[in-house]
Amino acid sequence: MYLNKYSVLIFDCDGVIFDTTSLKLQAFKDALSKFDNKYIEEFTNYFAANFGRSRYTHVRHFIENILGIPFDITLYDGIIADYSLLCREVYSQAKICEGVVELLQRNCDSTNYIASGSDQAELRSVFSDRGLTRFFKEIYGSPRAKNDIVSEICSEHTYENILMIGDAETDYLASVNSEIDFLYMERYSTDKHNMKELSSAKGFKTLWDFSGYS
């Protein structure tokens, strides 16, 4: 499978463009540091298995399903604010994933998009600061759902070959929802065991990273 057979490439961000997956796990731990360790551990396991969904979904899940209390807007806003502040630091320091810049420079004929569970305004600022905006037609993120973002991109490119590139099950499910091909990036994934089993069952392609890829 060669990327040049696709005229449209849709990239997830964390674990595909930026090496941020482990850093974001730690950022969420820090944002929840006032809570009991048992809740943090349960959330960390949940977050690692559900990377790619928005922070808004994750924090609501933490409050209602892990703490087991009614939704509390003050608590919710506080966690979101703390995590968002930490994420800005994460993105400013994170390395770009291996081979990504070379890939984007080499595949200059494709139309590229970002479809991420990270906050959209935050992403656009980070991509601008890191000099990556020029490679992408649009950079999309939460609070919109990834399924909706990918579906909208596909509707703009009817009858074109489109590939979704991601490192988590949410990325794969977005590709299934829009009936496009999927490429799993393994190196930076936080859910390798599940994705390996899913790849065996569903038959999608796996790549370790983009280094030396053509």
Side-chain angles (χ1 to χ4, degrees):
M1 186 173 79
Y2 296 95
L3 294 188
N4 59 14
K5 70 179 274 192
Y6 297 97
S7 57
V8 178
L9 302 177
I10 305 174
F11 295 82
D12 177 44
C13 178
D14 298 304
V16 176
I17 303 297
F18 291 109
D19 179 11
T20 45
T21 50
S22 60
L23 297 175
K24 281 195 162 185
L25 280 170
Q26 185 58 52
F28 246 132
K29 287 182 181 180
D30 293 343
L32 301 175
S33 60
K34 67 180 180 182
F35 297 97
D36 191 282
N37 283 338
K38 67 177 182 180
Y39 297 126
I40 297 175
E41 182 178 356
E42 183 177 350
F43 177 81
T44 300
N45 292 334
Y46 153 81
F47 183 47
N50 289 276
F51 221 97
R53 296 179 180 174
S54 78
R55 66 192 62 177
Y56 310 102
T57 299
H58 291 316
V59 175
R60 181 178 283 273
H61 177 87
F62 176 74
I63 294 170
E64 296 181 340
N65 300 105
I66 294 179
L67 293 182
I69 62 175
F71 181 74
D72 183 324
I73 188 62
T74 301
L75 178 59
Y76 171 87
D77 286 346
I79 296 172
I80 290 290
D82 290 344
Y83 179 68
S84 296
L85 184 62
L86 291 165
C87 278
R88 285 193 284 274
E89 183 176 348
V90 163
Y91 278 122
S92 69
Q93 298 176 354
K95 295 180 180 178
I96 297 173
C97 293
E98 190 72 29
V100 166
V101 173
E102 293 80 3
L103 170 75
L104 293 170
Q105 291 172 334
R106 190 166 57 241
N107 286 266
C108 56
D109 293 332
S110 62
T111 302
N112 304 323
Y113 292 88
I114 294 293
S116 174
S118 296
D119 182 79
Q120 180 169 288
E122 182 178 276
L123 284 176
R124 290 179 174 179
S125 176
V126 168
F127 273 69
S128 176
D129 291 344
R130 301 294 294 268
L132 297 174
T133 303
R134 61 194 172 97
F135 294 115
F136 299 94
K137 181 177 180 180
E138 292 288 355
I139 297 168
Y140 295 122
S142 63
R144 294 177 62 202
K146 187 170 292 187
N147 273 353
D148 295 338
I149 293 171
V150 173
S151 179
E152 180 180 294
I153 293 170
C154 291
S155 70
E156 295 179 10
H157 296 276
T158 309
Y159 307 120
E160 295 187 60
N161 287 332
I162 305 173
L163 178 68
M164 177 75 199
I165 303 171
D167 70 326
E169 187 172 359
T170 51
D171 304 313
Y172 168 69
L173 293 176
S175 74
V176 171
N177 181 66
S178 290
E179 300 181 334
I180 59 175
D181 289 345
F182 176 68
L183 175 62
Y184 166 51
M185 302 303 298
E186 183 179 10
R187 179 172 180 174
Y188 306 96
S189 175
T190 61
D191 197 22
K192 288 184 175 65
H193 178 73
N194 173 56
M195 292 301 291
K196 183 177 181 179
E197 291 187 344
L198 196 61
S199 176
S200 296
K202 302 300 182 180
F204 54 75
K205 301 291 185 180
T206 297
L207 195 65
W208 176 245
D209 62 30
F210 286 123
S211 57
Y213 188 73
S214 60

